[in-house]
Amino acid sequence: MSKKCLLVINVDWYFMLHWLDRANMLQSEGYEVHIAASFTEDKNKRHLVSLGFFCHDYPLDRKSFSFLKEIRSVYRLGRLVLALKPDIVHTITVKPNVYGGLLSRLLSIPLICSVTGLGALFSNSDSLSRLFRRFVIICYKLSSKTPNVRFIFENDEDRKLLAKLNAVPLTKSVTIRGAGVDVCEYSVSPPPNARSVLFAARLLKSKGFYDLVEAKRLADDKGQPFNVLVAGIVDTDAHDCIPLDDVLEYDRLGLIRWLGRVEDMAALMRNVDLVVLPTSYGEGVPRILIEAASCGRPLVSCDVRGSRDIVVHESNGILVNTNSPADLYEAICNILNDPELARKYGINSRALVEREFSNDRVMSDTLRVYKDFL
């Protein structure tokens, strides 16, 4: 009889981008895979059902700090767990991790929590973020005291930070670096040498979009122009969402070229020379940088947790200070103006992905956690 796994995640599009490969792997290993998420598009649910997954609508307000809403979310998840009786529950992102941790103590369910970066909660300094951060640390601490709970982190810095805060002991956690990438799909291609720069991410202020626009203005003013392609998701549920009107205005002014949501990122990579993500957000390991590195592209990002795992400074790219358009402009132009440097960075990018971030590596590490745990 196959084992039953319940994957709990905040929203469907995030699952499709980052977790579908792992769900397919679990299914191929004989697991009956159930997915609980906020389904924002019927086509996503239909596609997952067509692949043999069992989908459960689990509305979740990612912006809410309402105590009553959170209690209702825990209750709904508890009812689903009691109805399904899964052999293992795997929660992904902060709120599902907190809910799953509480339920693991109440229902004695085997639980894996995936910490996919510490997010805005640990990046922001406002009073509400600090309050909720303390709450999350307390919940993680309570969860980690339960015998049948394990944590998976995407980078060692997050793992060590929560251990230092006495939230998750190192003995209860492992690091599996990033979401993995299909190195055959994201294959190396020659750069177009068109001075084209790609920014692809959720359109959040903390992802550094406005800094890149300012870097583009600097480049134009200094006679070192480059083309900025922007692809992404307008995430209106996020606190620091960038208004689409801003993006369209920059497109109208010729500062960027707005591509919207792009399904075939591997094809897009063939049309860019460099991928930039000037994020100050608490990333796990940014998937777009892993994909770009797999395609042999040099990278520019900020010197923050997560980005440091995939961007090795002056080896496959350049790390810059956060909130510094001038640093960003200089790093981009240094690479675009030196084809030999760009080529070296691209070669090193691909080698790093093959060594550390391939699908095969991530899938085997994830499956090992499941087998050891069960």
Side-chain angles (χ1 to χ4, degrees):
M1 184 175 177
S2 64
K3 290 188 178 296
K4 190 183 296 183
C5 170
L6 172 62
L7 303 177
V8 186
I9 197 164
N10 52 11
V11 67
D12 56 349
W13 55 259
Y14 185 83
F15 181 89
M16 302 291 287
L17 283 172
H18 297 277
W19 285 83
L20 183 55
D21 286 343
R22 277 171 280 196
N24 283 327
M25 178 270 298
L26 290 170
Q27 189 180 68
S28 71
E29 291 290 327
Y31 286 87
E32 178 182 301
V33 179
H34 293 252
I35 302 162
S38 294
F39 285 94
T40 60
E41 296 186 58
D42 287 340
K43 68 175 184 178
N44 288 340
K45 190 174 184 180
R46 289 196 301 270
H47 179 63
L48 291 171
V49 170
S50 73
L51 295 175
F53 302 121
F54 299 85
C55 294
H56 307 272
D57 288 294
Y58 182 51
L60 192 153
D61 188 341
R62 290 181 289 141
K63 287 193 296 187
S64 169
F65 289 102
S66 165
F67 180 75
L68 290 177
K69 277 189 176 181
E70 307 315 316
I71 290 298
R72 282 197 292 268
S73 293
V74 174
Y75 174 72
R76 284 196 296 265
L77 182 58
R79 288 189 61 182
L80 179 60
V81 169
L82 288 173
L84 291 177
K85 295 181 174 59
D87 295 283
I88 193 165
V89 176
H90 188 160
T91 56
I92 304 152
T93 65
V94 176
K95 284 194 173 183
N97 287 347
V98 169
Y99 304 156
L102 295 173
L103 289 171
S104 70
R105 295 182 67 86
L106 294 172
L107 305 178
S108 298
I109 55 172
L111 174 70
I112 294 174
C113 297
S114 277
V115 182
T116 57
L118 298 182
L121 195 63
F122 281 74
S123 303
N124 295 343
S125 57
D126 60 277
S127 56
L128 192 58
S129 293
R130 289 199 305 269
L131 178 64
F132 195 59
R133 183 160 63 235
R134 291 193 196 100
F135 174 72
V136 169
I137 289 170
I138 291 169
C139 289
Y140 280 0
K141 186 180 297 187
L142 290 172
S143 300
S144 64
K145 292 183 184 299
T146 307
N148 54 351
V149 174
R150 297 292 183 277
F151 285 78
I152 296 175
F153 289 86
E154 289 198 355
N155 66 70
D156 272 332
E157 290 185 78
D158 287 351
R159 183 184 177 210
K160 290 174 182 176
L161 175 60
L162 287 192
K164 184 178 179 180
L165 294 171
N166 296 316
V168 180
L170 294 176
T171 54
K172 284 292 191 77
S173 65
V174 297
T175 298
I176 299 177
R177 302 177 75 191
V181 67
D182 185 336
V183 295
C184 295
E185 179 184 0
Y186 288 87
S187 58
V188 176
S189 59
N193 297 317
R195 296 184 68 83
S196 52
V197 172
L198 174 65
F199 172 94
R202 283 190 296 156
L203 292 178
L204 307 180
K205 295 172 187 175
S206 54
K207 297 280 188 176
F209 170 74
Y210 289 122
D211 290 337
L212 180 56
V213 172
E214 289 307 308
K216 162 66 174 170
R217 290 187 198 271
L218 278 173
D220 289 346
D221 291 344
K222 293 177 181 292
Q224 297 285 332
F226 51 80
N227 304 307
V228 178
L229 308 181
V230 176
I233 297 170
V234 181
D235 186 2
T236 55
D237 284 339
H239 288 283
D240 65 338
C241 177
I242 293 171
L244 180 59
D245 287 347
D246 283 9
V247 179
L248 296 177
E249 177 63 10
Y250 291 138
D251 182 89
R252 187 187 68 79
L253 293 172
L255 290 168
I256 68 166
R257 180 182 166 202
W258 171 235
L259 304 177
R261 186 169 180 169
V262 174
E263 300 294 338
D264 191 348
M265 290 301 300
L268 177 58
M269 288 294 176
R270 292 193 285 271
N271 298 315
V272 302
D273 297 296
L274 171 66
V275 174
V276 178
L277 185 68
T279 180
S280 60
Y281 184 83
E283 308 279 352
V285 180
R287 182 177 177 86
I288 183 61
L289 296 183
I290 300 174
E291 293 170 345
S294 183
C295 293
R297 295 300 182 259
L299 312 174
V300 173
S301 192
C302 288
D303 192 4
V304 295
R305 290 191 304 269
S307 292
R308 284 191 286 260
D309 279 54
I310 183 63
V311 184
V312 181
H313 185 58
E314 297 185 345
S315 172
N316 71 326
I318 298 176
L319 291 169
V320 301
N321 295 318
T322 57
N323 307 311
S324 178
D327 286 359
L328 201 56
Y329 150 75
E330 185 176 345
I332 291 170
C333 288
N334 281 348
I335 294 173
L336 293 179
N337 293 340
D338 189 340
E340 183 56 33
L341 181 68
R343 189 185 73 85
K344 183 187 83 169
Y345 283 176
I347 291 171
N348 292 342
S349 278
R350 175 68 180 193
L352 178 60
V353 169
E354 290 178 344
R355 190 169 64 247
E356 300 286 347
F357 294 97
S358 70
N359 256 355
D360 289 345
R361 174 74 179 266
V362 171
M363 298 306 146
S364 63
D365 288 351
T366 302
L367 189 60
R368 188 178 303 115
V369 173
Y370 271 68
K371 288 182 175 178
D372 290 348
F373 195 30
L374 292 178

